[in-house]
Amino acid sequence: MTRSDIPTDRATTYTPKARDTALAAFLAEQPAYAHATHVDEVRAREFSRLDRLGHVYLDFTGGGLYAESQIRRHAELLVSSVLGNPHSHNPTSLASTELVEHTRATVLEFFSADPAEYDVVFTANASGALKLVGESYPFCSGGRYLLTYDNHNSVNGIREFARSAGASVTYLPVGDPELRLDCAMVSEELERANPAHDNLFAYPAQSNFSGVQHPVEWVAEAHERGWHVLLDCAAFAPTNRLDLSAVKPDFVPLSFYKMFGYPTGVGALIARREALAKLHRPWFAGGTITLASVQGDGWHHLAPGHVGFEDGTVDYLGLPAVGYGLEFIGSVGIDSIHDRVVALTAWLLDAMRALAHSDGAPMVRIFGPADTLDRGATVAFYLLDPTGRPYDVDRMERLAGRVGISLRTGCFCNPGDGEVAHHITPDDMAECFVGQQSPVTFTECHDIIRDATGKMPNTMRVSLGLASNFADVYRFMAFAARFRDVPAGALSRM
Ligand SMILES: Cc1ncc(COP(=O)(O)O)c(C=O)c1O
């Protein structure tokens, strides 16, 4: 399908002229957005490639975008320095060590974390940070791993470590349709820590599926009841202030590319020093020990703090770019970024709810909160045909791509939110696991469940970030509106 194949005559409410009127109304309704004009200047200066190349980027929860100045600063550093492997005392090695340690301090400062209380372990990504916790947490028989349904698979995967150590694994379900948790149920379960053992509670500050933001107050509540807390901030940190002087989780995994696009190979585990000291690493590697011997009875001393967790050589050339990224976000202002994306999300949710076929049938079903209360700028949804049947999401992603819109479809590595959103039962899922000889893919699972039940566990997602503006969300709505009165069966011919 080409741009001209989409029935533009149907997009009566999304014309360029209507856009000016909609923008004026939006600015009047959203003074926080209207006042943050410096972000428009940042978009024009640092992200001009978006408009120059005709991109509407709506996958910020998948990955953030880098500002041009981040890349220039990094390139300038690299061409004007000679940097060697940090594990030594020669001048080029010391120069790298200084840059790495400066970046570590910048990370703590950005999140208002007291260096006496928190340490930063650099990893390849958020999943790498989560694996460090999973493989090293003192899970044992009688201990507990408690987690919410809406965790990313890299948090779900920790259950394998918990189970193999004999700890019990308990999931707290989200409810349909808002995909939130019942706070009373969470409190009740937090009361049940086993005081004789170690107990870990894991939840996302923001779901990467529904955008739901859970109360950060659970951190203190869980601590009081004897839990360590893993607060997954991978989807939260790019557009929300994380203040570790006010909220004090034990473990915070992050991927920096989600915050500012570049570099892509660096994440962090920000950990309370006390909690980090409780972790027992299952192995040692170059760089993580003070001393090891090949003689004797397996002698080695693990280095204290972050050193004991950074296996081998850190990305010492990439790490300075993390500092530049954080400084860039700081210069724009995380609160301005937050206010802008909340305003855009409010407009988008209203526009989605209002979008209807000629007979009044809704064109959008939102999975998760339909307003901006305690939610971030990630919106999961279906586009529906006049009979209420969802359009094929793979096809939709491709059609959006043809008009320059990057959105995401699938389950977003968040099976819990997806299963509840689409009313998938344990029996439905069993079809994809029990008795299967070879691994079933997500696409095969989708087809198995659709054929057996008519349910379609595949979702569309748009997510906003630092560089998003009104024109982006408007162009997405103009695209969606073009399917007004189009039957789902007709999509494959478009
Ligand atoms: C909430 C959340 N946690 C963890 C991750 C894993 O991040 P990465 O793939 O960078 O390791 C993601 C990625 O989308 C996420 O959204």
Side-chain angles (χ1 to χ4, degrees):
M1 187 181 185
T2 64
R3 272 162 217 241
S4 58
D5 293 330
I6 297 175
T8 45
D9 56 314
R10 300 182 195 282
T12 46
T13 52
Y14 286 95
T15 59
K17 198 167 158 224
R19 194 190 93 166
D20 295 341
T21 314
L23 175 60
F26 169 71
L27 293 175
E29 268 171 34
Q30 301 285 353
Y33 183 100
H35 292 149
T37 48
H38 69 287
V39 189
D40 287 321
E41 286 156 25
V42 168
R43 159 92 180 221
R45 192 177 64 241
E46 300 279 4
F47 301 92
S48 62
R49 61 192 188 278
L50 283 172
D51 295 319
R52 194 171 61 249
L53 302 174
H55 280 286
V56 174
Y57 187 77
L58 297 174
D59 192 20
F60 280 88
T61 300
L65 297 179
Y66 52 81
E68 287 175 26
S69 61
Q70 284 171 244
I71 306 303
R72 268 196 303 273
R73 283 187 77 186
H74 194 214
E76 275 160 25
L77 172 81
L78 296 181
V79 297
S80 62
S81 326
V82 181
L83 299 167
N85 185 305
H87 293 137
S88 192
H89 297 284
N90 64 59
T92 52
S93 178
L94 288 173
S96 294
T97 301
E98 197 180 316
L99 287 169
V100 169
E101 293 317 313
H102 178 72
T103 307
R104 208 183 302 279
T106 307
V107 172
L108 287 171
E109 197 183 327
F110 183 86
F111 294 110
S112 308
D114 178 354
E117 187 177 15
Y118 277 97
D119 201 348
V120 175
V121 179
F122 288 120
T123 60
N125 46 38
S127 301
L130 289 158
K131 183 158 181 266
L132 282 180
V133 177
E135 69 186 10
S136 313
Y137 190 78
F139 289 120
C140 65
S141 172
R144 300 195 56 191
Y145 182 40
L146 177 67
L147 67 169
T148 58
Y149 261 37
D150 57 351
N151 276 299
H152 186 275
N153 267 338
S154 298
V155 179
N156 289 326
I158 292 178
R159 72 187 187 206
E160 302 302 308
F161 292 114
R163 279 200 185 119
S164 58
S168 70
V169 176
T170 311
Y171 270 106
L172 294 164
V174 295
D176 190 33
E178 288 240 323
L179 304 178
R180 292 190 192 278
L181 282 123
D182 174 353
C183 289
M185 173 190 63
V186 175
S187 296
E188 232 171 76
E189 201 54 51
L190 289 177
E191 293 283 0
R192 299 198 190 109
N194 185 335
H197 296 290
D198 289 299
N199 307 278
L200 181 63
F201 173 42
Y203 73 99
Q206 177 174 317
S207 161
N208 71 318
F209 183 109
S210 64
V212 161
Q213 294 183 339
H214 298 302
V216 288
E217 291 76 13
W218 288 346
V219 175
E221 187 181 343
H223 277 163
E224 278 164 25
R225 310 246 175 324
W227 298 83
H228 286 111
V229 181
L230 188 166
L231 186 66
D232 182 359
C233 291
F236 178 85
T239 53
N240 297 276
R241 181 176 287 281
L242 171 64
D243 180 351
L244 294 177
S245 70
V247 179
K248 297 179 181 256
D250 297 282
F251 306 110
V252 178
L254 292 170
S255 277
F256 290 113
Y257 72 88
K258 287 195 189 290
M259 295 182 70
F260 37 77
Y262 176 85
T264 46
V266 188
L269 174 64
I270 307 179
R272 283 185 58 241
R273 290 180 182 277
E274 215 178 285
L276 199 62
K278 284 214 66 134
L279 302 183
H280 300 297
R281 296 222 62 198
W283 83 317
F284 64 90
T288 64
I289 44 162
T290 57
L291 189 69
S293 170
V294 295
Q295 303 184 84
D297 189 17
W299 292 324
H300 75 273
H301 292 298
L302 199 72
H306 63 262
V307 180
F309 290 85
E310 288 175 349
D311 296 338
T313 304
V314 290
D315 183 0
Y316 59 92
L317 293 185
L319 273 167
V322 169
Y324 300 148
L326 290 172
E327 282 165 23
F328 173 71
I329 291 204
S331 72
V332 180
I334 189 72
D335 295 328
S336 297
I337 296 166
H338 172 84
D339 291 350
R340 293 254 308 192
V341 297
V342 169
L344 291 171
T345 307
W347 184 87
L348 185 63
L349 290 169
D350 283 350
M352 282 177 155
R353 285 203 312 267
L355 197 65
H357 294 284
S358 298
D359 64 358
M363 288 182 71
V364 183
R365 183 183 308 150
I366 296 165
F367 300 113
D371 61 30
T372 51
L373 192 69
D374 297 330
R375 71 117 68 232
T378 301
V379 182
F381 61 97
Y382 264 163
L383 290 179
L384 306 170
D385 88 347
T387 66
R389 190 174 151 205
Y391 294 112
D392 180 87
V393 302
D394 289 333
R395 187 90 194 123
M396 269 296 169
E397 181 175 1
R398 266 189 276 272
L399 293 176
R402 286 189 193 173
V403 291
I405 298 173
S406 289
L407 49 76
R408 190 166 281 246
T409 61
C411 76
F412 326 123
C413 291
N414 191 324
D417 264 345
E419 285 170 26
V420 173
H422 299 295
H423 307 139
I424 310 290
T425 66
D427 284 347
D428 297 338
M429 286 311 296
E431 296 296 317
C432 305
F433 291 97
V434 182
Q436 295 286 349
Q437 300 306 314
S438 52
V440 174
T441 65
F442 177 71
T443 308
E444 287 164 348
C445 169
H446 176 269
D447 293 351
I448 291 169
I449 291 178
R450 183 201 53 205
D451 295 349
T453 67
K455 301 169 191 171
M456 293 201 255
N458 207 346
T459 311
M460 297 176 73
R461 183 183 81 183
V462 293
S463 52
L464 311 177
L466 192 161
S468 300
N469 65 13
F470 184 77
D472 294 330
V473 289
Y474 194 88
R475 259 182 72 185
F476 168 72
M477 286 309 302
F479 165 76
R482 288 172 180 186
F483 297 93
R484 188 171 288 136
D485 299 336
V486 175
L491 209 63
S492 58
R493 293 192 295 277
M494 288 177 149

